Amino acid sequence: PSSPNAAYAEVCGALVLACGRLGVKAEFKPINDVQFRGRKLSGSALTRRWGACLVHGTVLVEEHRERMFGALKVDADKARPKNLPEPGARVTSLAEILGEAPAMETVKAAMVSGFEEKFGLRTKVGGLTPWEVELADKLVKEKYGTDEWNLRR
């Protein structure tokens, strides 16, 4: 897509289809959220580099609000303009909506199906090449597994 907003609309549209397969009537809320009854179920972010656009994000299957917002260090002042008692009040999860957490394989299958439909494609199961495994191991050792990377403030 030519713009970040268009990229979010495409990817979040696939997530909405996937949620439907799980029995959840979700909707895309610009800029980058998928919501259920006004509460955030999924959030996305993107980056553009080397002529490509990468959209990534979360779908909350089962949340532990205190741990999640403790790790995210969300300022409670952010919730005040939205008249929320605390930041976690505006999020939900598949488990909360459905009454129990769906099996992860069920969630994965729904995601694949939603993306296949949205983009008119067929996926196939594959694995990493030896070069990709070697590169991943190197990146963990030299960057992503270091305290410098993980504990930066």
Side-chain angles (χ1 to χ4, degrees), residues 12-24 107 109-115:
C12 290
L15 294 174
V16 166
L17 290 170
C19 288
R21 283 158 175 71
L22 295 168
V24 174
V107 174
M111 293 296 145
V112 168
S113 179
F115 276 83

Side-chain angles (χ1 to χ4, degrees), residues 4-102:
N5 288 355
Y8 286 131
E10 292 289 321
V11 171
C12 290
L15 294 174
V16 166
L17 290 170
C19 288
R21 283 158 175 71
L22 295 168
V24 174
K25 189 170 172 55
E27 58 186 336
F28 169 54
K29 288 293 183 178
I31 297 175
N32 60 345
D33 288 349
V34 172
Q35 294 184 359
F36 176 79
R37 296 184 181 160
R39 295 175 66 203
K40 186 175 184 170
L41 176 61
S42 170
S44 300
L46 70 78
T47 187
R48 288 180 179 268
R49 292 194 181 151
W50 308 298
C53 177
L54 170 68
V55 179
H56 61 95
T58 62
V59 173
L60 292 175
V61 175
E62 188 172 16
E63 89 282 353
H64 302 278
R65 284 184 174 89
E66 287 182 23
R67 283 181 27 204
M68 181 170 64
F69 284 95
L72 293 173
K73 297 178 178 65
V74 174
D75 187 348
D77 290 337
K78 237 181 143 179
R80 285 195 188 99
K82 297 178 182 178
N83 295 320
L84 298 170
E86 44 93 20
R90 74 175 284 258
V91 300
T92 189
S93 68
L94 293 172
E96 185 175 27
I97 296 164
L98 298 171
E100 66 179 342

Side-chain angles (χ1 to χ4, degrees), residues 115-130:
F115 276 83
E116 286 180 337
E117 180 182 339
K118 177 68 178 169
F119 296 106
L121 52 86
R122 299 297 306 159
T123 59
K124 73 175 191 177
V125 177
L128 298 175
T129 66

